[in-house]
Amino acid sequence: MNYKTQIFDDSESVARGVANLIEAKAQQHAQSGKALSIAVSGGSTPKALFRLMASEEYSTGIPWETIRLYWVDERCVAPDHAESNFGMTYDALLHYSFIPIENIFRMKGEDIPDIEATRYAELLHHNLPAHEGIPVFDLILLGMGNDGHTASIFPDQLELLTSLKSVEVATHPVSGQKRITLTGPVINAAEQVVFMITGSDKADIVATIVGQSEEAKKFPASHVHDKTGNTEFYLDKAAACKL
Ligand code: 6PG
């Protein structure tokens, strides 16, 4: 199983590459009358993508009514909290976009974590097609922390990669913050997974994971392989400099 990589000059062009991918997939789905179910990550990298998608440049190219928006993970905070992934997405994209509110499915970080994880899993099983009982997204956008975590699956919680549940409660290893996260089987069941990774601080881990060395196994991101072998790394030159 090989990873595909696309290397861009900078983070803005990584964002444009992903925006163009989403636009093309949404148009393709709209032509066949299908929705496009996307799960997005939080953190700082996707901000540029969301801002670009909210711009005039993509206002007419993306069939917004086709998109069904979900989250890969969420911090257990209120949606208006500075650390909320939904809050970041709202400020950068949703406040300006034309995605119908009924097509936006946020994880409720303000609710009791275990109850919300169960609710969100039930939502996914209701809304999405399933393969061998696992909900299937059309596209999952992942980031990667500089410890090799992805979603909210951290190196000290590798069991979440093989959970029998679709959504679990995770704990940030440093802050202790509770998170709601998709688990490994749901991520790997997706039709396509795209990593958006920028910055030289991630270059060593990117090279280790893409090179699929034995050392890579300690990094959760190395355990992501979507079911069709399409997993792609959208990298800027800084993150790709050790490939
Ligand atoms: C989160 C994200 C997380 C993120 C990585 C990379 O809730 O923080 O889902 O998995 O993708 O931590 O974050 P940056 O994009 O900020 O480097």
Side-chain angles (χ1 to χ4, degrees):
M1 171 80 72
N2 290 316
Y3 287 117
K4 299 174 189 168
T5 58
Q6 289 201 45
I7 299 170
F8 300 83
D9 286 339
D10 51 35
S11 57
E12 275 303 311
S13 45
V14 169
R16 185 172 302 282
V18 177
N20 291 341
L21 172 70
I22 291 172
E23 183 179 62
K25 289 182 86 79
Q27 288 175 354
Q28 181 189 43
H29 278 68
Q31 282 159 13
S32 49
K34 290 194 299 182
L36 180 69
S37 296
I38 307 177
V40 296
S41 288
S44 58
T45 306
K47 274 183 195 167
L49 167 65
F50 296 151
R51 288 187 182 127
L52 185 59
M53 288 175 68
S55 70
E56 184 65 30
E57 187 177 345
Y58 288 86
S59 60
T60 54
I62 295 178
W64 292 101
E65 72 288 349
T66 301
I67 289 180
R68 305 286 185 273
L69 193 64
Y70 299 80
W71 272 260
V72 168
D73 62 340
E74 182 56 277
R75 292 82 180 273
C76 291
V77 295
D80 59 355
H81 189 284
E83 292 187 27
S84 168
N85 287 340
F86 169 81
M88 180 275 283
T89 312
Y90 180 84
D91 292 343
L93 172 60
L94 301 179
H95 181 58
Y96 309 98
S97 85
F98 310 100
I99 302 178
I101 193 162
E102 64 270 19
N103 295 344
I104 298 171
F105 306 97
R106 72 177 181 93
M107 291 172 168
K108 296 179 180 175
E110 70 275 24
D111 285 358
I112 296 170
D114 286 319
I115 294 177
E116 176 54 13
T118 301
R119 182 195 72 87
Y120 207 78
E122 289 169 352
L123 176 80
L124 298 184
H125 284 269
H126 177 267
N127 286 11
L128 298 175
H131 176 69
E132 295 175 355
I134 300 171
V136 176
F137 283 98
D138 296 305
L139 176 64
I140 294 182
L141 296 182
L142 294 177
M144 187 188 73
N146 49 24
D147 61 352
H149 84 261
T150 192
S152 281
I153 303 176
F154 295 95
D156 65 343
Q157 293 159 68
L158 292 180
E159 67 278 7
L160 295 177
L161 291 165
T162 53
S163 171
L164 295 177
K165 296 179 183 177
S166 298
V167 184
E168 290 244 37
V169 178
T171 304
H172 191 283
V174 176
S175 67
Q177 183 185 62
K178 292 295 182 191
R179 305 273 187 98
I180 310 292
T181 187
L182 298 185
T183 58
V186 174
I187 293 171
N188 287 336
E191 291 297 336
Q192 186 172 10
V193 175
V194 168
F195 279 98
M196 290 179 70
I197 304 175
T198 62
S200 57
D201 60 323
K202 299 180 182 172
D204 286 327
I205 296 186
V206 164
T208 302
I209 291 174
V210 173
Q212 299 191 62
S213 68
E214 194 56 31
E215 186 202 355
K217 289 187 170 42
K218 67 185 178 186
F219 302 127
S222 75
H223 296 264
V224 171
H225 294 286
D226 65 39
K227 73 177 182 185
T228 55
N230 285 329
T231 303
E232 277 196 273
F233 283 73
Y234 280 49
L235 308 166
D236 67 357
K237 283 179 178 169
C241 69
K242 302 242 172 115
L243 287 182

